[in-house]
PDB file of all heavy atoms in Angstrom:
ATOM      1  N   LYS C 157      22.725  25.682  15.508  1.00  0.00           N
ATOM      2  CA  LYS C 157      22.731  27.165  15.855  1.00  0.00           C
ATOM      3  C   LYS C 157      22.993  27.918  14.583  1.00  0.00           C
ATOM      4  O   LYS C 157      23.669  27.500  13.663  1.00  0.00           O
ATOM      5  CB  LYS C 157      23.835  27.420  16.901  1.00  0.00           C
ATOM      6  CG  LYS C 157      23.438  26.946  18.310  1.00  0.00           C
ATOM      7  CD  LYS C 157      24.257  27.676  19.376  1.00  0.00           C
ATOM      8  CE  LYS C 157      25.728  27.472  19.166  1.00  0.00           C
ATOM      9  NZ  LYS C 157      26.494  28.151  20.296  1.00  0.00           N
ATOM     10  N   VAL C 158      22.408  29.146  14.564  1.00  0.00           N
ATOM     11  CA  VAL C 158      22.579  29.997  13.366  1.00  0.00           C
ATOM     12  C   VAL C 158      24.034  30.181  13.045  1.00  0.00           C
ATOM     13  O   VAL C 158      24.875  30.566  13.909  1.00  0.00           O
ATOM     14  CB  VAL C 158      21.900  31.369  13.630  1.00  0.00           C
ATOM     15  CG1 VAL C 158      22.267  32.333  12.517  1.00  0.00           C
ATOM     16  CG2 VAL C 158      20.403  31.229  13.804  1.00  0.00           C
ATOM     17  N   GLY C 159      24.408  29.901  11.805  1.00  0.00           N
ATOM     18  CA  GLY C 159      25.787  30.074  11.338  1.00  0.00           C
ATOM     19  C   GLY C 159      26.639  28.850  11.369  1.00  0.00           C
ATOM     20  O   GLY C 159      27.679  28.777  10.712  1.00  0.00           O
ATOM     21  N   ASP C 160      26.230  27.820  12.159  1.00  0.00           N
ATOM     22  CA  ASP C 160      27.059  26.592  12.254  1.00  0.00           C
ATOM     23  C   ASP C 160      27.210  25.863  10.927  1.00  0.00           C
ATOM     24  O   ASP C 160      28.344  25.452  10.522  1.00  0.00           O
ATOM     25  CB  ASP C 160      26.520  25.633  13.312  1.00  0.00           C
ATOM     26  CG  ASP C 160      26.943  25.978  14.699  1.00  0.00           C
ATOM     27  OD1 ASP C 160      27.561  27.037  14.895  1.00  0.00           O
ATOM     28  OD2 ASP C 160      26.669  25.182  15.617  1.00  0.00           O
ATOM     29  N   LEU C 161      26.157  25.709  10.188  1.00  0.00           N
ATOM     30  CA  LEU C 161      26.246  25.036   8.935  1.00  0.00           C
ATOM     31  C   LEU C 161      26.862  25.833   7.815  1.00  0.00           C
ATOM     32  O   LEU C 161      27.381  25.271   6.852  1.00  0.00           O
ATOM     33  CB  LEU C 161      24.828  24.529   8.503  1.00  0.00           C
ATOM     34  CG  LEU C 161      24.277  23.408   9.335  1.00  0.00           C
ATOM     35  CD1 LEU C 161      22.896  22.963   8.848  1.00  0.00           C
ATOM     36  CD2 LEU C 161      25.206  22.192   9.416  1.00  0.00           C
ATOM     37  N   LYS C 162      26.849  27.073   7.938  1.00  0.00           N
ATOM     38  CA  LYS C 162      27.512  27.944   6.912  1.00  0.00           C
ATOM     39  C   LYS C 162      29.016  27.671   6.881  1.00  0.00           C
ATOM     40  O   LYS C 162      29.614  27.658   5.794  1.00  0.00           O
ATOM     41  CB  LYS C 162      27.246  29.420   7.187  1.00  0.00           C
ATOM     42  CG  LYS C 162      27.731  30.349   6.091  1.00  0.00           C
ATOM     43  CD  LYS C 162      27.344  31.787   6.371  1.00  0.00           C
ATOM     44  CE  LYS C 162      27.817  32.733   5.253  1.00  0.00           C
ATOM     45  NZ  LYS C 162      27.217  32.415   3.942  1.00  0.00           N
ATOM     46  N   ARG C 163      29.600  27.428   8.036  1.00  0.00           N
ATOM     47  CA  ARG C 163      31.013  27.142   8.103  1.00  0.00           C
ATOM     48  C   ARG C 163      31.350  25.815   7.398  1.00  0.00           C
ATOM     49  O   ARG C 163      32.497  25.608   7.013  1.00  0.00           O
ATOM     50  CB  ARG C 163      31.469  27.119   9.548  1.00  0.00           C
ATOM     51  CG  ARG C 163      31.433  28.448  10.251  1.00  0.00           C
ATOM     52  CD  ARG C 163      32.215  28.388  11.572  1.00  0.00           C
ATOM     53  NE  ARG C 163      31.488  27.624  12.568  1.00  0.00           N
ATOM     54  CZ  ARG C 163      30.568  28.100  13.371  1.00  0.00           C
ATOM     55  NH1 ARG C 163      30.227  29.397  13.321  1.00  0.00           N
ATOM     56  NH2 ARG C 163      29.988  27.375  14.284  1.00  0.00           N
ATOM     57  N   ARG C 164      30.358  24.956   7.272  1.00  0.00           N
ATOM     58  CA  ARG C 164      30.577  23.683   6.593  1.00  0.00           C
ATOM     59  C   ARG C 164      30.085  23.667   5.153  1.00  0.00           C
ATOM     60  O   ARG C 164      30.113  22.627   4.495  1.00  0.00           O
ATOM     61  CB  ARG C 164      29.834  22.580   7.366  1.00  0.00           C
ATOM     62  CG  ARG C 164      30.342  22.342   8.814  1.00  0.00           C
ATOM     63  CD  ARG C 164      29.587  21.244   9.443  1.00  0.00           C
ATOM     64  NE  ARG C 164      30.201  20.806  10.737  1.00  0.00           N
ATOM     65  CZ  ARG C 164      29.828  21.299  11.924  1.00  0.00           C
ATOM     66  NH1 ARG C 164      28.939  22.236  11.988  1.00  0.00           N
ATOM     67  NH2 ARG C 164      30.411  20.845  13.003  1.00  0.00           N
ATOM     68  N   GLY C 165      29.604  24.808   4.720  1.00  0.00           N
ATOM     69  CA  GLY C 165      29.082  24.912   3.362  1.00  0.00           C
ATOM     70  C   GLY C 165      27.753  24.171   3.190  1.00  0.00           C
ATOM     71  O   GLY C 165      27.406  23.742   2.066  1.00  0.00           O
ATOM     72  N   LEU C 166      26.994  24.054   4.340  1.00  0.00           N
ATOM     73  CA  LEU C 166      25.717  23.397   4.277  1.00  0.00           C
ATOM     74  C   LEU C 166      24.557  24.323   4.593  1.00  0.00           C
ATOM     75  O   LEU C 166      23.504  23.923   4.999  1.00  0.00           O
ATOM     76  CB  LEU C 166      25.682  22.194   5.263  1.00  0.00           C
ATOM     77  CG  LEU C 166      26.669  21.026   4.941  1.00  0.00           C
ATOM     78  CD1 LEU C 166      26.638  19.984   6.025  1.00  0.00           C
ATOM     79  CD2 LEU C 166      26.277  20.375   3.580  1.00  0.00           C
ATOM     80  N   ASP C 167      24.802  25.600   4.493  1.00  0.00           N
ATOM     81  CA  ASP C 167      23.789  26.592   4.718  1.00  0.00           C
ATOM     82  C   ASP C 167      22.823  26.616   3.551  1.00  0.00           C
ATOM     83  O   ASP C 167      23.022  25.988   2.530  1.00  0.00           O
ATOM     84  CB  ASP C 167      24.413  27.988   4.897  1.00  0.00           C
ATOM     85  CG  ASP C 167      25.270  28.364   3.675  1.00  0.00           C
ATOM     86  OD1 ASP C 167      26.230  27.677   3.380  1.00  0.00           O
ATOM     87  OD2 ASP C 167      24.892  29.380   2.992  1.00  0.00           O
ATOM     88  N   TRP C 168      21.701  27.374   3.709  1.00  0.00           N
ATOM     89  CA  TRP C 168      20.680  27.429   2.719  1.00  0.00           C
ATOM     90  C   TRP C 168      21.204  27.820   1.347  1.00  0.00           C
ATOM     91  O   TRP C 168      20.939  27.197   0.322  1.00  0.00           O
ATOM     92  CB  TRP C 168      19.580  28.376   3.132  1.00  0.00           C
ATOM     93  CG  TRP C 168      18.717  28.952   2.038  1.00  0.00           C
ATOM     94  CD1 TRP C 168      18.637  30.256   1.602  1.00  0.00           C
ATOM     95  CD2 TRP C 168      17.876  28.245   1.115  1.00  0.00           C
ATOM     96  NE1 TRP C 168      17.787  30.374   0.546  1.00  0.00           N
ATOM     97  CE2 TRP C 168      17.283  29.146   0.256  1.00  0.00           C
ATOM     98  CE3 TRP C 168      17.502  26.858   1.006  1.00  0.00           C
ATOM     99  CZ2 TRP C 168      16.372  28.782  -0.788  1.00  0.00           C
ATOM    100  CZ3 TRP C 168      16.626  26.472  -0.004  1.00  0.00           C
ATOM    101  CH2 TRP C 168      16.064  27.468  -0.889  1.00  0.00           C
TER     102      TRP C 168
END
Side-chain angles (χ1 to χ4, degrees):
K157 287 200 303 182
V158 172
D160 275 10
L161 289 182
K162 187 175 181 62
R163 291 193 290 272
R164 297 181 169 93
L166 294 175
D167 58 299
W168 158 244

